[in-house]
Amino acid sequence: MSEFPYRLAVIVGSVREGRFGPVVADWFCRQARQRDDVVVDLIDLAHVPAALGGAAGAVAPGAEEVPFADRIGAADAIVVVTPEYNHSYPGPLKTAIDSVGAQWRAKPVGFVSYGGISGGLRAVEPLRVVFAELHTVTVRETVSFAMCHACFDPTGEPVDADSVNRAATALLDQLGWWAEALRTARAARPYGS
């Protein structure tokens, strides 16, 4: 284990019934957990209160003992796993993002997207603008799954594992660099001071 691993919050951005997001997020979390420089906190918006973007009535007993904002505050980096809905990202994801304030600041954010022919990338681009306004640093590398249902086998493993695993490694490498740099900077001088 790395002496000072960074804490990575992975947000599942879809709350729709029958959603594919957990398949993608579980794969990505497995990739991240293979590393010794990362501690993963999986945050499924379907299990946060509806006021924060979760599905109404979907909170399992004891599922969210730590408030969403506190989990973002504790993170050194964030990955948003998002589908593309109508050329953008899901409304509940926007509600969840907007429910948090200063906890986002001076942290790196990465994206794993999925969808039809565009692989969810039309959801990522507007998210970059939103996260810029929140004073985050979005990393260039992304992982995207075009025609996502055909990209995974019935066990939840990618069909083209080598390619997407390399993309996940590149994303996690960039997040790690930024997470360490920004964590050190925030410790030396709080952001905005």
Side-chain angles (χ1 to χ4, degrees):
M1 189 84 174
S2 174
E3 186 178 357
F4 300 107
Y6 70 95
R7 187 169 174 88
L8 175 65
V10 177
I11 301 171
V12 182
S14 173
V15 301
R16 283 186 180 176
E17 187 175 329
R19 66 206 170 113
F20 195 69
V23 173
V24 179
D26 288 346
W27 161 79
F28 185 77
C29 287
R30 287 192 304 274
Q31 294 301 301
R33 288 181 177 126
Q34 292 177 23
R35 301 169 63 105
D36 66 359
D37 63 338
V38 180
V39 175
V40 177
D41 178 18
L42 178 61
I43 304 171
D44 188 339
L45 291 184
H47 301 297
V48 301
L52 303 181
V59 180
E64 290 296 318
E65 295 171 8
V66 178
F68 179 68
D70 291 349
R71 291 171 82 179
I72 297 302
D76 296 307
I78 296 98
V79 164
V80 177
V81 178
T82 185
E84 179 182 322
Y85 293 163
N86 304 315
H87 283 238
S88 194
Y89 54 92
L93 176 58
K94 177 69 163 127
T95 300
I97 291 167
D98 291 346
S99 74
V100 178
Q103 295 90 335
W104 293 114
R105 293 183 181 165
K107 294 181 182 177
V109 177
F111 303 98
V112 175
S113 63
Y114 60 96
I117 194 72
S118 75
L121 293 174
R122 292 180 292 209
V124 170
E125 292 312 309
L127 279 168
R128 289 185 187 282
V129 175
V130 170
F131 279 109
E133 189 66 22
L134 295 168
H135 299 261
T136 71
V137 176
T138 61
V139 298
R140 181 188 178 280
E141 297 298 327
T142 62
V143 183
S144 66
F145 293 95
M147 310 310 278
C148 60
H149 291 87
C151 293
F152 288 83
D153 69 21
T155 68
E157 291 299 322
V159 173
D160 182 16
D162 290 343
S163 172
V164 295
N165 291 352
R166 277 194 309 275
T169 297
L171 173 58
L172 288 162
D173 287 348
Q174 281 191 355
L175 282 170
W177 189 92
W178 281 104
E180 183 178 337
L182 293 173
R183 178 173 57 191
T184 300
R186 288 190 312 273
R189 189 175 100 192
Y191 182 78
S193 64

